Amino acid sequence: MKREKFSSSFSVFLATLGSAIGLGNIWRFPYITGMNGGGAFLFVYLICVLLVGIPVMISEFFIGRKTRLNPVLAFEKLGGRKWSVVGYMGIIASLLIMFFYSAVAGWVYSYTFKSLMGKFNGVTLETSKEIFINTITNPKGVILWQIIALLVVAFVLAMGVKGGIERATKILMPILFILILICDIRALTLENSFEGIKFLFAVDFSKLKSSSILTALGLSFFKLSLGVGAMITYASYFTDDDNLMLTSLNVALSDTLISLLAGIAIFPTVFAFNMEPSYGPGLLFITLPLIFSKLPFGNVLLFMFFLLTSIAATTAMLSLVEVSVAYFMEVKKIDRRKSVFIVTCIIALFGSLAALSVEGNVLSNVKILGKSIFDTFDYLSSNILLPLGGILISAFVGYFIRWEEVVLEIVKNHEYRNSVYLRVLLYVLKYITPILILVIFIKELF
Ligand code: PFF
């Protein structure tokens, strides 16, 4: 089987950015930034991206492109059999994330459809809450929409790296960008929109808590799709001459920009209507439909907003599912379509358990160590496997691989081999990145 590749550095950038941009940009990043001191938090977040995000991303890129293999075989090739455990951990983590992520993606798909059908015309706070509760507690509905979201992802992946992932991200990423800009312009031209901008950007160090640093670290990890093998898998399809250092910088910065643009679309609107900014589901599924319904052409805007959220979630899921698809293709020697089918069935099975375990739905009484199935999947992946993967990946590249070999791969065909950045990178990768992640990991566990 000949291994596929992306066709250009720009395609590499769009696909990788597609993985990074997701639900995280829209329902986590803006709110966390606002609550933790706006500009002050942003500053801390950017430092985390520089000291942890980018070094881990470059390490994953190195492992993927050097070996051109899925995470399990990639670790085995570079470090011997015992290191393949890190690859398996990535596969498990990416599946666990998919189980709950696809449930939320299903809600977003259903909201996109509902807003297209004008279901939110004239909603009040009560009816908006009611629609949300009905949406997430209706067993047939949640499963139907989750499966639709999974089928879209499966359809794209079945067409391969170039014909599927590359083509889809080339079409979808520009649409996402245009939609977000339209929502931004509308938000900024509302009266009183400045309050929202202040919430998001005003530098307020007094709101920066000690926990904010850990929050920023965890967020940078999830945001940049690190620690689960997604970036290893995508990098195994990168072009030969892609500058891995530049790509990681571009992706990290563009992803942060999109998070800020999402915040600019959301908070000025929330404040213009004197609403409270809230976190996650409440903001996205209850407050926003209510506010948009009060705007002229609000239903069109709401549809655009949910469409862009669906796109973001979908391109992120492509990379999450591809981790296991690549594994089945290369380790189990199953062809792409069958691999996609098998992985989609596994996710549909466990993912529907996650969707049905949400408060008020049929499995909400099932608890694992006091948590719902949904929360257990989230906890195991985000709080345990992701940081553990990050520590192992950065330590592996920092300590077990000859640095010259790494440098040769990450700046292939480019001039600055002896640049000071590369020396700083090695230092950060060895002495800062794994230790910082270890700190969050221990803190989150206890
Ligand atoms: N980066 C995605 C987001 O911010 O929503 C989530 C994600 C995608 C995490 C892919 C991990 C991953 F491998």
Side-chain angles (χ1 to χ4, degrees), residues 227-275:
V228 305
M231 291 305 186
I232 297 180
T233 309
Y234 269 16
S236 71
Y237 308 130
F238 279 9
T239 52
D240 290 321
D241 58 354
D242 193 65
N243 182 335
L244 302 182
M245 215 153 90
L246 257 170
T247 301
S248 68
L249 221 86
N250 286 340
V251 169
L253 293 180
S254 310
D255 175 67
T256 310
L257 178 74
I258 295 287
S259 296
L260 295 177
L261 288 177
I264 295 173
I266 296 168
F267 292 114
T269 323
V270 171
F271 280 89
F273 286 92
N274 284 323
M275 302 283 298

Side-chain angles (χ1 to χ4, degrees), residues 8-10 12-13 61 65 238-245 247 409-412 414:
S8 68
S9 281
F10 189 58
V12 162
F13 168 68
F61 283 174
R65 192 174 63 185
F238 279 9
T239 52
D240 290 321
D241 58 354
D242 193 65
N243 182 335
L244 302 182
M245 215 153 90
T247 301
E409 186 66 42
I410 60 185
V411 291
K412 227 176 199 173
H414 297 273

Side-chain angles (χ1 to χ4, degrees), residues 314-384:
T314 305
T315 54
M317 287 191 289
L318 291 178
S319 65
L320 281 163
V321 182
E322 180 66 15
V323 178
S324 303
V325 170
Y327 168 79
F328 275 103
M329 285 172 67
E330 286 163 5
V331 178
K332 302 283 174 211
K333 309 272 184 250
I334 298 173
D335 76 31
R336 173 170 279 278
R337 291 204 173 156
K338 279 203 196 98
S339 301
V340 171
F341 178 75
I342 295 170
V343 180
T344 307
C345 289
I346 297 174
I347 298 170
L349 188 70
F350 289 95
S352 53
L353 295 182
L356 294 176
S357 72
V358 168
E359 191 64 45
N361 212 322
V362 288
L363 295 182
S364 60
N365 291 332
V366 181
K367 300 277 184 232
I368 307 168
L369 295 173
K371 287 185 166 54
S372 68
I373 302 176
F374 185 109
D375 291 340
T376 305
F377 290 155
D378 184 6
Y379 179 81
L380 283 179
S381 54
S382 313
N383 295 19
I384 300 192

Side-chain angles (χ1 to χ4, degrees), residues 16-29 60 90 93-94 97-98 100-101 219-231 255 259 312-313 315-321 323 386:
T16 314
L17 185 60
S19 165
I21 295 176
L23 294 168
N25 303 59
I26 295 160
W27 81 359
R28 288 198 72 197
F29 188 101
E60 293 205 21
S94 62
I97 296 179
M98 264 314 280
F100 69 88
Y101 204 88
L219 185 63
S220 66
F221 239 74
F222 187 79
K223 273 297 334 93
L224 298 175
S225 310
L226 300 172
V228 305
M231 291 305 186
D255 175 67
S259 296
T315 54
M317 287 191 289
L318 291 178
S319 65
L320 281 163
V321 182
V323 178
L386 232 96

Side-chain angles (χ1 to χ4, degrees), residues 178-193:
I178 292 169
L179 289 177
I180 220 168
L181 283 184
I182 297 175
C183 293
D184 278 344
I185 293 169
R186 175 66 265 208
L188 288 175
T189 47
L190 290 172
E191 241 174 81
N192 210 13
S193 63

